[in-house]
Amino acid sequence: ILNYDIMARFRRRTCIILLLFILFICSIMMALKTLRPDRAGFGDPFGLGLLPELQQRTELLDKQNSLNRVQGDSVTQTSNMHAAGVSAVKASVPPVDKLEEELSSPNYNFHIFYYSWFGNPQFDGKYIHWNHPLLPHWDPKIANNYPKGRHNPPEDIGANFYPELGSYSSKDPSVIEAHMKQMLSASIGVIALSWYPPGMADENGEPTDDLVPVILDYAHKYNLKVTFHIEPYKDRDDRSMYHNVKYIIDKYGAHPAFYRHKTSTGRSLPMFYVYDSYVTIPEIWANLLTVSGSQTIRNTPYDALFIALLVEERHKHDIHRSGFDGMYTYFATNGFSYGSSHHNWASLKAFCDSNNLMFIPSVGPGYIDTSIRPWNNHNTRNRVNGKYYETAFSAALSVRPEIISITSFNEWHEGTQIEKAVPKRTGQIVYLDYKPHKPNVYLELTQKWSEKYRKEKEQWLM
């Protein structure tokens, strides 16, 4: 009887211990579920920051569902945000890049500003643009409080973020191809290529017109199109613009990747973004862009859609008077200018609609240029883990534009890039990065909003 009693107590104790262990495991599982809510919003510090490593392992298993899911608000669901490491989970899963290409198709209403001005010793004999100088403030008293000199690549570059591809050369074919793959994965359709006439360049760069044929070829390989973002070259006026537009169309217009926009009247016309258009007076532009102008390009083989940069509110009247076909806002800093302030887009769109102009808002992921303008902290806009970018897209979609432009793919100096960036620390320099997300998070966000735009546009046309 004594032995039986001892055995019975032992069994009861064992059952109690086992039950307590099961309850402990269940409570841990419930706690973990609570710590990573399924609806944690992009930019929600609790939902995103607490368990980034766990999220990276668990949120990538169904890439197709993640890419195709479109939410109805401006806050990204965390399950849409990660796209890397799938092949590490299952050997049979194809690489992420290949998967992204298969799932993405170009959206020709999404245009992205692209810069081919970077160089390195391997391809160019020296560093170009990565060694950007520190620009002094215009007030000498303020300028004296900040460092001077140039950056010293490859460890020290003129950017606050560091590219996954390193301090690359824009001439490197593998770099060009990698960029095209990234753009395709983001469902971007049109590259707005920064362009100076042959023999000309910005003050820190070298001429790049000879790169255009290579960029066109690689763009065509990935079914992308190329338009031209004409920079404010020396002595730009109506005559030189006519000559340069003629040069571009004669030399590149027959290429299958050369972008033409189908207008409401059924014509397919080249498109040119004209940066800093406001520095030239409307009367000069009118010579080129109005039917009665002395240098008119209208109703000639070189007619095109010309898109002016709107900075101040008064520029909208100048743009209309000049004969431009539309306006874009370029700057990624919400509040920096009238045009880049999201809350002004509705009135600008209304003005354009009433004057038969295109309104092309420019969205950006953030802004920081203190690596080259160390005194310009007040224009920095934090990315907020992608929420800033999504807010800009939401504002753009709300005005139902025909085209959305993105600032930028790779303007690294101003921190507006969506190109892949990686964490890097070297000496005294700690670069910003996209953590807790992967290097391609802004490509994924762009792809998400590209699909959202396509679906919403179907509703606008009904």
Side-chain angles (χ1 to χ4, degrees):
I1 294 171
L2 184 61
N3 286 342
Y4 178 82
D5 192 50
I6 291 170
M7 289 298 292
R9 284 202 299 272
F10 178 78
R11 282 197 295 272
R12 282 198 301 273
R13 187 179 302 160
T14 304
C15 288
I16 290 168
I17 291 170
L18 185 60
L19 182 61
L20 288 172
F21 180 74
I22 291 169
L23 287 171
F24 175 74
I25 294 297
C26 289
S27 65
I28 289 292
M29 292 175 68
M30 289 298 294
L32 288 174
K33 184 174 177 63
T34 305
L35 286 174
R36 194 192 65 78
D38 292 335
R39 295 185 59 80
F42 206 165
D44 178 347
F46 185 79
L48 286 178
L50 208 54
L51 297 167
E53 292 182 6
L54 179 65
Q55 288 174 292
Q56 289 168 5
R57 288 198 299 270
T58 59
E59 293 177 3
L60 298 174
L61 297 179
D62 193 346
K63 172 69 178 173
Q64 183 163 353
N65 287 344
S66 174
L67 286 174
N68 288 343
R69 188 184 301 116
V70 178
Q71 302 295 339
D73 57 17
S74 65
V75 180
T76 305
Q77 303 299 312
T78 9
S79 57
N80 278 1
M81 291 295 73
H82 302 277
V86 181
S87 56
V89 180
K90 284 188 179 180
S92 61
V93 178
V96 172
D97 284 347
K98 188 173 191 301
L99 199 56
E100 286 176 343
E101 287 173 38
E102 289 170 355
L103 292 172
S104 301
S105 60
N107 179 350
Y108 298 115
N109 294 316
F110 264 38
H111 298 188
I112 193 161
F113 298 111
Y114 180 67
Y115 296 86
S116 59
W117 58 23
F118 297 103
N120 63 25
Q122 181 184 356
F123 285 88
D124 307 87
K126 59 183 176 180
Y127 284 107
I128 305 171
H129 264 277
W130 298 119
N131 63 343
H132 202 289
L134 295 166
L135 303 174
H137 193 276
W138 52 86
D139 183 338
K141 292 179 182 177
I142 297 175
N144 289 335
N145 296 323
Y146 292 96
K148 300 173 178 64
R150 299 186 78 92
H151 288 278
N152 185 27
E155 300 298 303
D156 170 23
I157 64 171
N160 293 77
F161 293 84
Y162 202 87
E164 184 182 68
L165 296 173
S167 47
Y168 57 75
S169 169
S170 296
K171 291 181 179 177
D172 183 346
S174 68
V175 166
I176 298 172
E177 183 153 28
H179 286 170
M180 300 301 157
K181 286 181 178 179
Q182 288 186 37
M183 286 186 233
L184 179 62
S185 77
S187 267
I188 291 161
V190 179
I191 301 161
L193 177 65
S194 170
W195 187 85
Y196 285 87
M200 293 188 177
D202 70 286
E203 59 187 6
N204 295 296
E206 303 279 344
T208 58
D209 178 64
D210 59 348
L211 264 181
V212 174
V214 185
I215 292 170
L216 283 164
D217 286 346
Y218 276 104
H220 182 54
K221 179 177 178 180
Y222 292 93
N223 210 22
L224 306 175
K225 305 294 181 185
V226 178
T227 190
F228 291 78
H229 191 194
I230 298 178
E231 300 284 1
Y233 58 82
K234 190 176 184 296
D235 298 327
R236 187 178 69 182
D237 61 12
D238 48 348
R239 291 174 181 270
S240 69
M241 275 290 286
Y242 190 104
H243 171 78
N244 285 314
V245 167
K246 182 179 185 299
Y247 169 85
I248 290 171
I249 293 174
D250 283 344
K251 188 165 185 179
Y252 307 123
H255 197 286
F258 185 84
Y259 176 67
R260 283 182 165 80
H261 183 79
K262 191 168 185 178
T263 68
S264 56
T265 60
R267 299 175 72 195
S268 288
L269 293 173
M271 177 180 283
F272 297 100
Y273 290 91
V274 185
Y275 190 71
D276 277 0
S277 50
Y278 59 88
V279 302
T280 302
I281 61 172
E283 288 73 20
I284 297 293
W285 285 125
N287 289 339
L288 177 75
L289 301 177
T290 61
V291 175
S292 58
S294 58
Q295 297 288 321
T296 187
I297 207 163
R298 299 306 187 189
N299 301 319
T300 74
Y302 305 106
D303 203 352
L305 298 171
F306 294 87
I307 311 298
L309 174 62
L310 180 130
V311 179
E312 300 177 26
E313 183 178 14
R314 64 182 176 85
H315 290 160
K316 66 186 182 183
H317 302 291
D318 294 342
I319 287 167
H320 185 228
R321 200 153 49 95
S322 298
F324 280 99
D325 301 280
M327 60 184 71
Y328 72 116
T329 60
Y330 187 76
F331 301 109
T333 301
N334 183 20
F336 170 71
S337 67
Y338 182 88
S340 71
S341 301
H342 302 165
H343 66 268
N344 294 325
W345 288 354
S347 63
L348 285 170
K349 177 63 159 56
F351 176 86
C352 288
D353 286 348
S354 62
N355 290 283
N356 197 29
L357 297 170
M358 296 176 72
F359 177 61
I360 304 178
S362 303
V363 304
Y367 187 94
I368 183 167
D369 66 357
T370 53
S371 68
I372 62 167
R373 299 182 187 96
W375 38 266
N376 197 31
N377 274 306
H378 62 284
N379 279 318
T380 296
R381 297 295 182 271
N382 194 295
R383 294 187 173 222
V384 203
N385 285 337
K387 190 173 182 181
Y388 182 91
Y389 196 33
E390 297 219 84
T391 301
F393 269 120
S394 182
L397 258 67
S398 71
V399 301
R400 301 185 172 189
E402 190 173 351
I403 290 169
I404 292 175
S405 56
I406 298 166
T407 306
S408 63
F409 182 78
N410 64 338
E411 220 301 13
W412 289 92
H413 304 312
E414 296 182 346
T416 62
Q417 80 289 334
I418 67 167
E419 183 182 352
K420 294 180 182 180
V422 291
K424 187 175 178 67
R425 178 191 295 264
T426 170
Q428 300 295 313
I429 305 169
V430 180
Y431 290 93
L432 300 174
D433 56 56
Y434 302 161
K435 283 187 171 182
H437 303 293
K438 294 291 186 178
N440 66 341
V441 62
Y442 290 95
L443 303 173
E444 283 216 322
L445 275 176
T446 309
Q447 198 273 347
K448 170 196 166 179
W449 282 89
S450 179
E451 293 307 311
K452 185 174 174 64
Y453 171 87
R454 281 197 254 229
K455 291 184 179 180
E456 289 202 7
K457 192 172 185 183
E458 290 175 9
Q459 300 300 313
W460 304 343
L461 299 174
M462 288 176 66

